[in-house]
Amino acid sequence: MARPSSEIVEIRGASPSDAVAIRALTRAAYAKWVPLIGREPLPMLADYDRALREHQIDLLFADAQLSGLIETMIEKDHLFIVNVAVAPSRQGRGYGRRLLDHAEALAAALRLPEARLTTNKQFAANIALYLRLGYAIDREEPFMGGVMTHMMKRMATA
């Protein structure tokens, strides 16, 4: 579903008062994966009060409704994308792509050569999206009874 052309979409930094909303959105977004992998994905278990202190979390609002988020960590040689989540009722509108573009612009502004992320190998739709957006599979490794897929994308250099 394409997003309506009249929709107003904004991305802003999260504050500590957003922790409850971040937790709720993330739990809703990842709930569909629980039956597939037999456990809650790590973002569903995260301490978002702590994450807000230690990471950058940016929120995407569509028509003033919290619709998605991206959580990043700045490393010395890359930007690590910890979590991308879009509310189930708002999926399919390009918000995930828009959030990834936002993170990549941050990486470029910081002159970081790469953006990296990890995902569960069974999240095939997510991996397909990342591949379409220019990410490559770097490696895979066993993780909690499954396989963690590490992906990366080189940023354009100035």
Side-chain angles (χ1 to χ4, degrees):
M1 172 193 295
R3 69 180 174 84
S5 60
S6 62
E7 190 174 55
I8 297 171
V9 178
E10 303 175 294
I11 296 176
R12 71 157 173 86
S15 67
S17 64
D18 294 313
V20 170
I22 289 168
R23 188 175 299 106
L25 185 146
T26 300
R27 290 192 61 77
Y30 282 85
K32 68 182 178 184
W33 300 116
V34 174
L36 181 65
I37 65 172
R39 64 171 175 80
E40 291 186 336
L42 293 181
M44 291 179 79
L45 305 172
D47 176 347
Y48 287 102
D49 293 306
R50 180 178 179 183
L52 281 158
R53 290 190 306 271
E54 297 177 358
H55 305 157
Q56 180 169 329
I57 301 178
D58 293 306
L59 307 176
L60 183 145
F61 290 86
D63 289 337
Q65 178 182 353
L66 178 60
S67 299
L69 63 87
I70 191 157
E71 177 182 354
T72 56
M73 292 175 26
I74 299 168
E75 301 290 348
K76 93 177 165 171
D77 63 346
H78 67 279
L79 183 74
F80 185 71
I81 299 168
V82 177
N83 180 14
V84 181
V86 176
S89 65
R90 310 296 267 181
Q91 292 176 3
R93 299 179 185 203
Y95 298 150
R97 174 187 301 252
R98 194 168 195 161
L99 287 161
L100 288 164
D101 287 347
H102 176 77
E104 292 167 19
L106 174 61
L110 295 170
R111 298 184 180 269
L112 295 169
E114 295 177 359
R116 298 181 191 172
L117 57 84
T118 60
T119 191
N120 190 299
K121 184 175 184 171
Q122 292 189 54
F123 299 175
N126 291 2
I127 291 173
L129 171 65
Y130 300 140
L131 290 170
R132 279 193 312 274
L133 296 178
Y135 286 79
I137 296 174
D138 184 45
R139 69 185 189 284
E140 295 179 329
E141 63 186 9
F143 183 77
M144 296 181 75
V147 176
M148 180 182 291
T149 301
H150 295 259
M151 302 185 79
M152 58 82 60
K153 180 177 182 178
R154 295 223 179 266
M155 298 293 101
T157 56

mmCIF file of all heavy atoms in Angstrom, residues 8-54:
data_model
loop_
_atom_site.group_PDB
_atom_site.id
_atom_site.type_symbol
_atom_site.label_atom_id
_atom_site.label_comp_id
_atom_site.label_asym_id
_atom_site.label_seq_id
_atom_site.Cartn_x
_atom_site.Cartn_y
_atom_site.Cartn_z
ATOM 1 N N ILE A 8 1.477 13.863 5.930
ATOM 2 C CA ILE A 8 2.631 14.607 6.426
ATOM 3 C C ILE A 8 3.493 13.639 7.233
ATOM 4 O O ILE A 8 3.034 13.061 8.222
ATOM 5 C CB ILE A 8 2.192 15.798 7.297
ATOM 6 C CG1 ILE A 8 1.376 16.770 6.445
ATOM 7 C CG2 ILE A 8 3.400 16.477 7.925
ATOM 8 C CD1 ILE A 8 0.719 17.874 7.238
ATOM 9 N N VAL A 9 4.736 13.444 6.782
ATOM 10 C CA VAL A 9 5.662 12.518 7.429
ATOM 11 C C VAL A 9 6.833 13.319 7.975
ATOM 12 O O VAL A 9 7.435 14.121 7.265
ATOM 13 C CB VAL A 9 6.150 11.434 6.447
ATOM 14 C CG1 VAL A 9 7.142 10.502 7.120
ATOM 15 C CG2 VAL A 9 4.970 10.651 5.890
ATOM 16 N N GLU A 10 7.136 13.085 9.264
ATOM 17 C CA GLU A 10 8.247 13.772 9.933
ATOM 18 C C GLU A 10 9.062 12.754 10.709
ATOM 19 O O GLU A 10 8.510 11.788 11.232
ATOM 20 C CB GLU A 10 7.728 14.800 10.929
ATOM 21 C CG GLU A 10 6.811 15.847 10.349
ATOM 22 C CD GLU A 10 6.247 16.747 11.436
ATOM 23 O OE1 GLU A 10 5.478 16.248 12.276
ATOM 24 O OE2 GLU A 10 6.601 17.937 11.426
ATOM 25 N N ILE A 11 10.360 12.997 10.805
ATOM 26 C CA ILE A 11 11.233 12.180 11.642
ATOM 27 C C ILE A 11 11.853 13.105 12.669
ATOM 28 O O ILE A 11 12.354 14.181 12.324
ATOM 29 C CB ILE A 11 12.321 11.478 10.806
ATOM 30 C CG1 ILE A 11 11.672 10.497 9.824
ATOM 31 C CG2 ILE A 11 13.304 10.754 11.716
ATOM 32 C CD1 ILE A 11 12.641 9.807 8.877
ATOM 33 N N ARG A 12 11.785 12.705 13.929
ATOM 34 C CA ARG A 12 12.391 13.505 14.999
ATOM 35 C C ARG A 12 13.072 12.585 15.995
ATOM 36 O O ARG A 12 12.727 11.408 16.122
ATOM 37 C CB ARG A 12 11.356 14.366 15.712
ATOM 38 C CG ARG A 12 10.389 13.589 16.587
ATOM 39 C CD ARG A 12 9.772 14.484 17.672
ATOM 40 N NE ARG A 12 8.728 13.819 18.415
ATOM 41 C CZ ARG A 12 8.928 13.042 19.488
ATOM 42 N NH1 ARG A 12 10.144 12.794 19.926
ATOM 43 N NH2 ARG A 12 7.900 12.502 20.126
ATOM 44 N N GLY A 13 14.022 13.124 16.725
ATOM 45 C CA GLY A 13 14.708 12.367 17.756
ATOM 46 C C GLY A 13 13.773 12.045 18.914
ATOM 47 O O GLY A 13 12.892 12.836 19.247
ATOM 48 N N ALA A 14 13.966 10.865 19.487
ATOM 49 C CA ALA A 14 13.166 10.449 20.642
ATOM 50 C C ALA A 14 13.729 11.057 21.913
ATOM 51 O O ALA A 14 14.900 11.424 21.985
ATOM 52 C CB ALA A 14 13.165 8.931 20.748
ATOM 53 N N SER A 15 12.871 11.145 22.917
ATOM 54 C CA SER A 15 13.285 11.614 24.246
ATOM 55 C C SER A 15 12.917 10.533 25.261
ATOM 56 O O SER A 15 12.157 9.605 24.942
ATOM 57 C CB SER A 15 12.583 12.927 24.577
ATOM 58 O OG SER A 15 11.200 12.702 24.737
ATOM 59 N N PRO A 16 13.427 10.640 26.487
ATOM 60 C CA PRO A 16 13.104 9.620 27.496
ATOM 61 C C PRO A 16 11.601 9.398 27.688
ATOM 62 O O PRO A 16 11.174 8.280 27.972
ATOM 63 C CB PRO A 16 13.756 10.170 28.766
ATOM 64 C CG PRO A 16 14.930 10.954 28.254
ATOM 65 C CD PRO A 16 14.416 11.605 26.979
ATOM 66 N N SER A 17 10.809 10.427 27.476
ATOM 67 C CA SER A 17 9.363 10.271 27.657
ATOM 68 C C SER A 17 8.723 9.390 26.568
ATOM 69 O O SER A 17 7.565 9.005 26.690
ATOM 70 C CB SER A 17 8.680 11.637 27.690
ATOM 71 O OG SER A 17 8.830 12.282 26.445
ATOM 72 N N ASP A 18 9.483 9.046 25.533
ATOM 73 C CA ASP A 18 8.968 8.217 24.445
ATOM 74 C C ASP A 18 9.171 6.716 24.685
ATOM 75 O O ASP A 18 8.742 5.902 23.868
ATOM 76 C CB ASP A 18 9.648 8.587 23.121
ATOM 77 C CG ASP A 18 9.301 9.985 22.653
ATOM 78 O OD1 ASP A 18 8.099 10.327 22.666
ATOM 79 O OD2 ASP A 18 10.223 10.726 22.277
ATOM 80 N N ALA A 19 9.816 6.335 25.782
ATOM 81 C CA ALA A 19 10.182 4.927 25.995
ATOM 82 C C ALA A 19 8.987 3.982 25.936
ATOM 83 O O ALA A 19 9.062 2.914 25.312
ATOM 84 C CB ALA A 19 10.924 4.761 27.322
ATOM 85 N N VAL A 20 7.883 4.341 26.551
ATOM 86 C CA VAL A 20 6.708 3.454 26.566
ATOM 87 C C VAL A 20 6.173 3.263 25.146
ATOM 88 O O VAL A 20 5.866 2.139 24.726
ATOM 89 C CB VAL A 20 5.619 4.002 27.512
ATOM 90 C CG1 VAL A 20 4.315 3.240 27.352
ATOM 91 C CG2 VAL A 20 6.100 3.934 28.962
ATOM 92 N N ALA A 21 6.084 4.338 24.381
ATOM 93 C CA ALA A 21 5.590 4.250 23.004
ATOM 94 C C ALA A 21 6.552 3.453 22.122
ATOM 95 O O ALA A 21 6.112 2.670 21.266
ATOM 96 C CB ALA A 21 5.376 5.651 22.437
ATOM 97 N N ILE A 22 7.843 3.628 22.327
ATOM 98 C CA ILE A 22 8.846 2.871 21.563
ATOM 99 C C ILE A 22 8.700 1.383 21.846
ATOM 100 O O ILE A 22 8.696 0.553 20.923
ATOM 101 C CB ILE A 22 10.269 3.373 21.903
ATOM 102 C CG1 ILE A 22 10.474 4.769 21.313
ATOM 103 C CG2 ILE A 22 11.332 2.392 21.411
ATOM 104 C CD1 ILE A 22 11.712 5.477 21.817
ATOM 105 N N ARG A 23 8.584 1.040 23.110
ATOM 106 C CA ARG A 23 8.426 -0.368 23.500
ATOM 107 C C ARG A 23 7.166 -0.960 22.869
ATOM 108 O O ARG A 23 7.199 -2.053 22.288
ATOM 109 C CB ARG A 23 8.380 -0.481 25.022
ATOM 110 C CG ARG A 23 8.398 -1.886 25.565
ATOM 111 C CD ARG A 23 8.478 -1.904 27.104
ATOM 112 N NE ARG A 23 9.696 -1.254 27.583
ATOM 113 C CZ ARG A 23 9.753 -0.046 28.156
ATOM 114 N NH1 ARG A 23 8.647 0.662 28.351
ATOM 115 N NH2 ARG A 23 10.893 0.459 28.557
ATOM 116 N N ALA A 24 6.065 -0.245 22.932
ATOM 117 C CA ALA A 24 4.797 -0.747 22.389
ATOM 118 C C ALA A 24 4.881 -0.925 20.871
ATOM 119 O O ALA A 24 4.443 -1.955 20.340
ATOM 120 C CB ALA A 24 3.663 0.200 22.757
ATOM 121 N N LEU A 25 5.428 0.051 20.172
ATOM 122 C CA LEU A 25 5.540 -0.050 18.721
ATOM 123 C C LEU A 25 6.450 -1.219 18.337
ATOM 124 O O LEU A 25 6.111 -2.011 17.452
ATOM 125 C CB LEU A 25 6.080 1.250 18.131
ATOM 126 C CG LEU A 25 6.126 1.280 16.597
ATOM 127 C CD1 LEU A 25 5.845 2.678 16.086
ATOM 128 C CD2 LEU A 25 7.426 0.783 16.051
ATOM 129 N N THR A 26 7.571 -1.350 19.013
ATOM 130 C CA THR A 26 8.514 -2.423 18.692
ATOM 131 C C THR A 26 7.896 -3.787 18.952
ATOM 132 O O THR A 26 8.011 -4.700 18.126
ATOM 133 C CB THR A 26 9.818 -2.243 19.490
ATOM 134 O OG1 THR A 26 10.394 -0.972 19.146
ATOM 135 C CG2 THR A 26 10.819 -3.339 19.174
ATOM 136 N N ARG A 27 7.227 -3.948 20.073
ATOM 137 C CA ARG A 27 6.601 -5.239 20.388
ATOM 138 C C ARG A 27 5.537 -5.585 19.343
ATOM 139 O O ARG A 27 5.455 -6.725 18.888
ATOM 140 C CB ARG A 27 6.028 -5.238 21.794
ATOM 141 C CG ARG A 27 7.146 -5.216 22.878
ATOM 142 C CD ARG A 27 6.630 -5.512 24.266
ATOM 143 N NE ARG A 27 6.016 -6.830 24.362
ATOM 144 C CZ ARG A 27 6.684 -7.991 24.434
ATOM 145 N NH1 ARG A 27 8.005 -7.992 24.411
ATOM 146 N NH2 ARG A 27 6.030 -9.130 24.541
ATOM 147 N N ALA A 28 4.761 -4.608 18.924
ATOM 148 C CA ALA A 28 3.737 -4.860 17.910
ATOM 149 C C ALA A 28 4.375 -5.216 16.563
ATOM 150 O O ALA A 28 3.921 -6.143 15.881
ATOM 151 C CB ALA A 28 2.832 -3.641 17.768
ATOM 152 N N ALA A 29 5.416 -4.496 16.181
ATOM 153 C CA ALA A 29 6.051 -4.710 14.879
ATOM 154 C C ALA A 29 6.707 -6.089 14.776
ATOM 155 O O ALA A 29 6.698 -6.706 13.718
ATOM 156 C CB ALA A 29 7.080 -3.611 14.618
ATOM 157 N N TYR A 30 7.277 -6.566 15.873
ATOM 158 C CA TYR A 30 8.016 -7.833 15.842
ATOM 159 C C TYR A 30 7.159 -9.039 16.233
ATOM 160 O O TYR A 30 7.607 -10.181 16.088
ATOM 161 C CB TYR A 30 9.239 -7.759 16.763
ATOM 162 C CG TYR A 30 10.393 -7.001 16.155
ATOM 163 C CD1 TYR A 30 10.478 -5.627 16.252
ATOM 164 C CD2 TYR A 30 11.419 -7.671 15.489
ATOM 165 C CE1 TYR A 30 11.542 -4.922 15.702
ATOM 166 C CE2 TYR A 30 12.487 -6.982 14.936
ATOM 167 C CZ TYR A 30 12.545 -5.610 15.046
ATOM 168 O OH TYR A 30 13.601 -4.922 14.490
ATOM 169 N N ALA A 31 5.944 -8.823 16.694
ATOM 170 C CA ALA A 31 5.104 -9.937 17.172
ATOM 171 C C ALA A 31 4.894 -11.007 16.099
ATOM 172 O O ALA A 31 4.828 -12.201 16.407
ATOM 173 C CB ALA A 31 3.760 -9.406 17.669
ATOM 174 N N LYS A 32 4.820 -10.611 14.844
ATOM 175 C CA LYS A 32 4.579 -11.579 13.771
ATOM 176 C C LYS A 32 5.703 -12.595 13.614
ATOM 177 O O LYS A 32 5.499 -13.660 13.031
ATOM 178 C CB LYS A 32 4.355 -10.852 12.443
ATOM 179 C CG LYS A 32 5.590 -10.143 11.903
ATOM 180 C CD LYS A 32 5.275 -9.398 10.623
ATOM 181 C CE LYS A 32 6.489 -8.640 10.111
ATOM 182 N NZ LYS A 32 6.128 -7.847 8.934
ATOM 183 N N TRP A 33 6.879 -12.274 14.150
ATOM 184 C CA TRP A 33 8.017 -13.178 13.995
ATOM 185 C C TRP A 33 8.092 -14.229 15.096
ATOM 186 O O TRP A 33 8.801 -15.221 14.953
ATOM 187 C CB TRP A 33 9.323 -12.383 13.966
ATOM 188 C CG TRP A 33 9.406 -11.393 12.850
ATOM 189 C CD1 TRP A 33 9.487 -10.031 12.973
ATOM 190 C CD2 TRP A 33 9.418 -11.655 11.441
ATOM 191 N NE1 TRP A 33 9.542 -9.441 11.740
ATOM 192 C CE2 TRP A 33 9.504 -10.417 10.776
ATOM 193 C CE3 TRP A 33 9.354 -12.829 10.677
ATOM 194 C CZ2 TRP A 33 9.544 -10.315 9.388
ATOM 195 C CZ3 TRP A 33 9.390 -12.706 9.286
ATOM 196 C CH2 TRP A 33 9.480 -11.468 8.667
ATOM 197 N N VAL A 34 7.386 -14.045 16.190
ATOM 198 C CA VAL A 34 7.469 -14.982 17.321
ATOM 199 C C VAL A 34 7.119 -16.408 16.906
ATOM 200 O O VAL A 34 7.886 -17.339 17.199
ATOM 201 C CB VAL A 34 6.620 -14.492 18.515
ATOM 202 C CG1 VAL A 34 6.584 -15.534 19.629
ATOM 203 C CG2 VAL A 34 7.157 -13.157 19.043
ATOM 204 N N PRO A 35 6.008 -16.652 16.210
ATOM 205 C CA PRO A 35 5.699 -18.033 15.810
ATOM 206 C C PRO A 35 6.762 -18.636 14.879
ATOM 207 O O PRO A 35 7.023 -19.828 14.922
ATOM 208 C CB PRO A 35 4.352 -17.924 15.095
ATOM 209 C CG PRO A 35 3.758 -16.642 15.562
ATOM 210 C CD PRO A 35 4.920 -15.731 15.839
ATOM 211 N N LEU A 36 7.381 -17.810 14.053
ATOM 212 C CA LEU A 36 8.372 -18.289 13.093
ATOM 213 C C LEU A 36 9.646 -18.763 13.775
ATOM 214 O O LEU A 36 10.194 -19.801 13.416
ATOM 215 C CB LEU A 36 8.702 -17.186 12.083
ATOM 216 C CG LEU A 36 9.709 -17.550 10.993
ATOM 217 C CD1 LEU A 36 9.148 -18.636 10.072
ATOM 218 C CD2 LEU A 36 10.076 -16.310 10.185
ATOM 219 N N ILE A 37 10.119 -18.008 14.779
ATOM 220 C CA ILE A 37 11.401 -18.372 15.402
ATOM 221 C C ILE A 37 11.235 -18.995 16.787
ATOM 222 O O ILE A 37 12.217 -19.418 17.385
ATOM 223 C CB ILE A 37 12.382 -17.176 15.436
ATOM 224 C CG1 ILE A 37 11.887 -16.042 16.330
ATOM 225 C CG2 ILE A 37 12.667 -16.695 14.023
ATOM 226 C CD1 ILE A 37 12.913 -14.938 16.548
ATOM 227 N N GLY A 38 10.020 -19.028 17.302
ATOM 228 C CA GLY A 38 9.769 -19.700 18.576
ATOM 229 C C GLY A 38 10.204 -18.937 19.812
ATOM 230 O O GLY A 38 10.300 -19.513 20.901
ATOM 231 N N ARG A 39 10.457 -17.657 19.671
ATOM 232 C CA ARG A 39 10.841 -16.805 20.802
ATOM 233 C C ARG A 39 10.624 -15.356 20.395
ATOM 234 O O ARG A 39 10.409 -15.064 19.225
ATOM 235 C CB ARG A 39 12.303 -17.032 21.198
ATOM 236 C CG ARG A 39 13.289 -16.634 20.119
ATOM 237 C CD ARG A 39 14.733 -16.656 20.587
ATOM 238 N NE ARG A 39 15.644 -16.391 19.503
ATOM 239 C CZ ARG A 39 15.941 -15.207 19.010
ATOM 240 N NH1 ARG A 39 15.383 -14.111 19.510
ATOM 241 N NH2 ARG A 39 16.782 -15.052 18.014
ATOM 242 N N GLU A 40 10.697 -14.462 21.361
ATOM 243 C CA GLU A 40 10.612 -13.038 21.045
ATOM 244 C C GLU A 40 11.946 -12.557 20.476
ATOM 245 O O GLU A 40 13.002 -12.827 21.062
ATOM 246 C CB GLU A 40 10.260 -12.230 22.297
ATOM 247 C CG GLU A 40 8.843 -12.481 22.781
ATOM 248 C CD GLU A 40 8.446 -11.585 23.940
ATOM 249 O OE1 GLU A 40 9.321 -11.086 24.672
ATOM 250 O OE2 GLU A 40 7.229 -11.382 24.096
ATOM 251 N N PRO A 41 11.925 -11.873 19.345
ATOM 252 C CA PRO A 41 13.160 -11.283 18.826
ATOM 253 C C PRO A 41 13.733 -10.282 19.835
ATOM 254 O O PRO A 41 12.990 -9.676 20.626
ATOM 255 C CB PRO A 41 12.703 -10.576 17.552
ATOM 256 C CG PRO A 41 11.455 -11.296 17.147
ATOM 257 C CD PRO A 41 10.790 -11.668 18.449
ATOM 258 N N LEU A 42 15.037 -10.101 19.796
ATOM 259 C CA LEU A 42 15.718 -9.247 20.775
ATOM 260 C C LEU A 42 15.102 -7.852 20.931
ATOM 261 O O LEU A 42 15.002 -7.362 22.059
ATOM 262 C CB LEU A 42 17.204 -9.142 20.454
ATOM 263 C CG LEU A 42 18.003 -10.440 20.624
ATOM 264 C CD1 LEU A 42 19.475 -10.193 20.302
ATOM 265 C CD2 LEU A 42 17.841 -11.018 22.017
ATOM 266 N N PRO A 43 14.683 -7.174 19.848
ATOM 267 C CA PRO A 43 14.101 -5.844 20.057
ATOM 268 C C PRO A 43 12.861 -5.852 20.951
ATOM 269 O O PRO A 43 12.558 -4.841 21.590
ATOM 270 C CB PRO A 43 13.759 -5.384 18.638
ATOM 271 C CG PRO A 43 14.764 -6.099 17.785
ATOM 272 C CD PRO A 43 14.884 -7.463 18.420
ATOM 273 N N MET A 44 12.169 -6.971 21.033
ATOM 274 C CA MET A 44 10.992 -7.043 21.907
ATOM 275 C C MET A 44 11.395 -7.100 23.373
ATOM 276 O O MET A 44 10.582 -6.802 24.248
ATOM 277 C CB MET A 44 10.155 -8.281 21.563
ATOM 278 C CG MET A 44 9.475 -8.204 20.207
ATOM 279 S SD MET A 44 8.510 -9.679 19.815
ATOM 280 C CE MET A 44 7.024 -9.358 20.806
ATOM 281 N N LEU A 45 12.633 -7.481 23.635
ATOM 282 C CA LEU A 45 13.112 -7.656 25.009
ATOM 283 C C LEU A 45 13.966 -6.492 25.499
ATOM 284 O O LEU A 45 14.371 -6.470 26.655
ATOM 285 C CB LEU A 45 13.935 -8.948 25.103
ATOM 286 C CG LEU A 45 13.229 -10.223 24.632
ATOM 287 C CD1 LEU A 45 14.206 -11.390 24.586
ATOM 288 C CD2 LEU A 45 12.032 -10.530 25.506
ATOM 289 N N ALA A 46 14.236 -5.549 24.631
ATOM 290 C CA ALA A 46 15.170 -4.466 24.960
ATOM 291 C C ALA A 46 14.642 -3.558 26.068
ATOM 292 O O ALA A 46 13.433 -3.378 26.235
ATOM 293 C CB ALA A 46 15.451 -3.635 23.713
ATOM 294 N N ASP A 47 15.582 -2.974 26.785
ATOM 295 C CA ASP A 47 15.295 -1.968 27.807
ATOM 296 C C ASP A 47 15.374 -0.603 27.114
ATOM 297 O O ASP A 47 16.464 -0.080 26.889
ATOM 298 C CB ASP A 47 16.328 -2.077 28.936
ATOM 299 C CG ASP A 47 16.182 -1.006 29.996
ATOM 300 O OD1 ASP A 47 15.450 -0.010 29.785
ATOM 301 O OD2 ASP A 47 16.827 -1.156 31.050
ATOM 302 N N TYR A 48 14.232 -0.045 26.749
ATOM 303 C CA TYR A 48 14.241 1.191 25.978
ATOM 304 C C TYR A 48 14.558 2.420 26.816
ATOM 305 O O TYR A 48 14.990 3.436 26.263
ATOM 306 C CB TYR A 48 12.958 1.330 25.151
ATOM 307 C CG TYR A 48 13.036 0.353 23.992
ATOM 308 C CD1 TYR A 48 12.344 -0.846 24.019
ATOM 309 C CD2 TYR A 48 13.880 0.601 22.925
ATOM 310 C CE1 TYR A 48 12.471 -1.768 22.985
ATOM 311 C CE2 TYR A 48 14.016 -0.307 21.903
ATOM 312 C CZ TYR A 48 13.318 -1.488 21.928
ATOM 313 O OH TYR A 48 13.471 -2.392 20.910
ATOM 314 N N ASP A 49 14.403 2.353 28.122
ATOM 315 C CA ASP A 49 14.880 3.459 28.955
ATOM 316 C C ASP A 49 16.397 3.559 28.818
ATOM 317 O O ASP A 49 16.949 4.645 28.624
ATOM 318 C CB ASP A 49 14.479 3.245 30.417
ATOM 319 C CG ASP A 49 12.977 3.327 30.615
ATOM 320 O OD1 ASP A 49 12.379 4.349 30.214
ATOM 321 O OD2 ASP A 49 12.391 2.363 31.149
ATOM 322 N N ARG A 50 17.061 2.422 28.865
ATOM 323 C CA ARG A 50 18.522 2.380 28.711
ATOM 324 C C ARG A 50 18.923 2.723 27.276
ATOM 325 O O ARG A 50 19.868 3.481 27.059
ATOM 326 C CB ARG A 50 19.035 0.993 29.092
ATOM 327 C CG ARG A 50 20.527 0.854 28.956
ATOM 328 C CD ARG A 50 20.996 -0.508 29.382
ATOM 329 N NE ARG A 50 22.428 -0.613 29.205
ATOM 330 C CZ ARG A 50 23.101 -1.688 29.427
ATOM 331 N NH1 ARG A 50 22.510 -2.791 29.855
ATOM 332 N NH2 ARG A 50 24.407 -1.709 29.236
ATOM 333 N N ALA A 51 18.221 2.139 26.300
ATOM 334 C CA ALA A 51 18.558 2.398 24.898
ATOM 335 C C ALA A 51 18.494 3.891 24.578
ATOM 336 O O ALA A 51 19.328 4.401 23.831
ATOM 337 C CB ALA A 51 17.634 1.606 23.983
ATOM 338 N N LEU A 52 17.523 4.584 25.149
ATOM 339 C CA LEU A 52 17.413 6.023 24.905
ATOM 340 C C LEU A 52 18.596 6.799 25.481
ATOM 341 O O LEU A 52 18.931 7.871 24.983
ATOM 342 C CB LEU A 52 16.096 6.561 25.481
ATOM 343 C CG LEU A 52 14.890 6.270 24.590
ATOM 344 C CD1 LEU A 52 13.598 6.309 25.398
ATOM 345 C CD2 LEU A 52 14.847 7.240 23.424
ATOM 346 N N ARG A 53 19.224 6.256 26.507
ATOM 347 C CA ARG A 53 20.420 6.897 27.069
ATOM 348 C C ARG A 53 21.671 6.579 26.251
ATOM 349 O O ARG A 53 22.578 7.397 26.160
ATOM 350 C CB ARG A 53 20.637 6.458 28.518
ATOM 351 C CG ARG A 53 19.621 7.011 29.495
ATOM 352 C CD ARG A 53 20.009 6.742 30.954
ATOM 353 N NE ARG A 53 20.271 5.344 31.255
ATOM 354 C CZ ARG A 53 19.354 4.457 31.651
ATOM 355 N NH1 ARG A 53 18.089 4.834 31.781
ATOM 356 N NH2 ARG A 53 19.689 3.216 31.926
ATOM 357 N N GLU A 54 21.727 5.377 25.674
ATOM 358 C CA GLU A 54 22.967 4.896 25.055
ATOM 359 C C GLU A 54 22.988 4.950 23.528
ATOM 360 O O GLU A 54 24.059 4.882 22.932
ATOM 361 C CB GLU A 54 23.238 3.464 25.515
ATOM 362 C CG GLU A 54 23.461 3.382 27.019
ATOM 363 C CD GLU A 54 23.667 1.971 27.520
ATOM 364 O OE1 GLU A 54 23.609 1.007 26.719
ATOM 365 O OE2 GLU A 54 23.897 1.822 28.736
#
